[in-house]
Amino acid sequence: MEKIKVDAFLKLFIQRSETMLTICEFLTTSPELAKEYTKRISFQNNEIIHRYDYVKNNQFILIEKGVGKLEFYRKRRWEFETFITEDEFAGVENLLNAKKYSCSMKYRVVGASEGSALLVNKDFFLDHMYADPLIFHAVLEHVALRHILTSHNFREKKSPLKQRVADLLLEFTILTTLPTINNQIVFPDYFSESMLTSVLRAPSDNVIAILVFLEEQQIIIREPVFTIINPARLKRLSNLDLELFEDTTELVF
């Protein structure tokens, strides 16, 4: 199966923080308007930041600092799906016209760490977004990046589990902007192996067996901190074509 070429999109992630800072500054330039249409909130680990019916779908979240976990309600329980990280949107579907789309999904964004976010009125944001190409392009980039990764995961859902585990480990590295230092990638405390099981919808024993194999092959270590110690070898098991992982040290995505 043909690999996705995403190295160009990784460059968009590198530029993302500067763009999102511009958006935050733009939305809060006027103290009067900012007070009426935006609200800065702080969150803690495991605290609900945003949910599908939040304020009648009239607002969305822009994460300023920290990381959130996107969870869907399936089979009477909340299941981890992906990360919503610094400088990203949560609740972007609220930007759509309600007559064209009604969100029936039960989802929430829960703090994976301490952080802060900007709660923004969607109409206020849309009025400003179309007036500034930088903001408009930032929204398109965010949606395009998420669409590419989501499409890849859906297309590869029947691929060998070893490949899918490698895909997700690299994807999490991109989404959470983890640095490659001395050719190793150290995962943060909020990452857990159960997250892989949740996303893969695979038996936990099978996922653990893959992780044990990767550890035996000296591609990862699981203790004391989960670390990719050989990104190049992990990439060869993946179907994500991440050229920036090769021969790279001290690179921050």
Side-chain angles (χ1 to χ4, degrees):
M1 187 175 293
E2 182 181 357
K3 292 186 176 182
I4 295 178
K5 298 290 185 179
V6 298
D7 51 308
F9 292 93
L10 286 172
K11 295 178 183 178
L12 296 179
F13 266 113
I14 297 173
Q15 301 167 355
R16 186 182 62 189
S17 295
E18 182 178 350
T19 302
M20 289 301 177
L21 178 60
T22 301
I23 291 177
C24 288
E25 291 177 346
F26 189 81
L27 292 174
T28 56
T29 296
S30 171
E32 292 79 13
L33 292 176
K35 184 177 181 180
E36 183 175 357
Y37 295 109
T38 69
K39 180 182 179 181
R40 185 167 276 105
I41 62 174
S42 59
F43 57 86
Q44 304 294 321
N45 182 31
N46 292 324
E47 180 179 354
I48 296 176
I49 307 169
H50 181 81
R51 52 181 173 264
Y52 66 101
D53 58 351
Y54 197 69
V55 196
K56 298 181 179 179
N57 294 333
N58 194 45
Q59 295 173 313
F60 70 98
I61 290 285
L62 178 61
I63 303 293
E64 290 186 296
K65 296 180 180 179
V67 176
K69 298 176 291 185
L70 176 63
E71 300 177 341
F72 284 95
Y73 192 72
R74 302 185 183 96
K75 299 179 181 180
R76 299 183 180 181
R77 65 179 182 181
W78 291 102
E79 296 182 340
F80 171 82
E81 184 67 26
T82 188
F83 291 109
I84 303 294
T85 58
E86 199 166 299
D87 304 321
E88 281 200 288
F89 300 101
V92 70
E93 76 280 356
N94 292 343
L95 298 179
L96 293 174
N97 189 321
K99 295 180 180 179
K100 296 182 178 179
Y101 174 79
S102 178
C103 181
S104 59
M105 300 178 296
K106 290 185 177 182
Y107 78 88
R108 66 185 185 183
V109 179
V110 181
S113 65
E114 294 183 356
S116 63
L118 199 63
L119 184 63
V120 185
N121 176 278
K122 71 171 185 179
D123 295 321
F124 172 66
F125 180 77
L126 288 172
D127 288 343
H128 288 73
M129 182 182 76
Y130 294 117
D132 190 318
L134 182 63
I135 296 178
F136 182 66
H137 291 160
V139 175
L140 292 180
E141 289 171 2
H142 164 81
V143 174
L145 285 161
R146 285 291 178 173
H147 174 71
I148 285 172
L149 293 174
T150 300
S151 297
H152 173 79
N153 291 336
F154 180 79
R155 192 183 69 212
E156 300 290 333
K157 64 181 181 180
K158 294 184 178 180
S159 296
L161 186 58
K162 188 186 302 180
Q163 176 207 305
R164 296 175 66 208
V165 169
D167 285 349
L168 282 178
L169 289 175
L170 294 177
E171 180 179 319
F172 289 169
T173 300
I174 297 169
L175 291 177
T176 53
T177 60
L178 299 180
T180 300
I181 302 175
N182 296 327
N183 204 35
Q184 295 189 356
I185 303 170
V186 180
F187 278 57
D189 293 339
Y190 54 75
F191 171 78
S192 68
E193 295 175 1
S194 63
M195 291 177 172
L196 293 172
T197 302
S198 178
V199 179
L200 292 168
R201 313 284 188 271
S204 59
D205 289 346
N206 294 359
V207 175
I208 295 300
I210 297 297
L211 295 176
V212 169
F213 167 80
L214 295 177
E215 193 166 33
E216 291 173 346
Q217 295 297 310
Q218 298 184 354
I219 296 174
I220 66 169
I221 56 173
R222 299 166 61 201
E223 298 290 344
V225 180
F226 193 98
T227 305
I228 300 174
I229 58 176
N230 195 326
R233 289 189 65 193
L234 184 66
K235 179 195 166 183
R236 287 196 288 271
L237 297 176
S238 170
N239 206 36
L240 280 171
D241 190 7
L242 306 179
E243 296 179 2
L244 291 180
F245 272 98
E246 291 186 349
D247 302 322
T248 304
T249 58
E250 300 187 358
L251 173 63
V252 180
F253 294 109

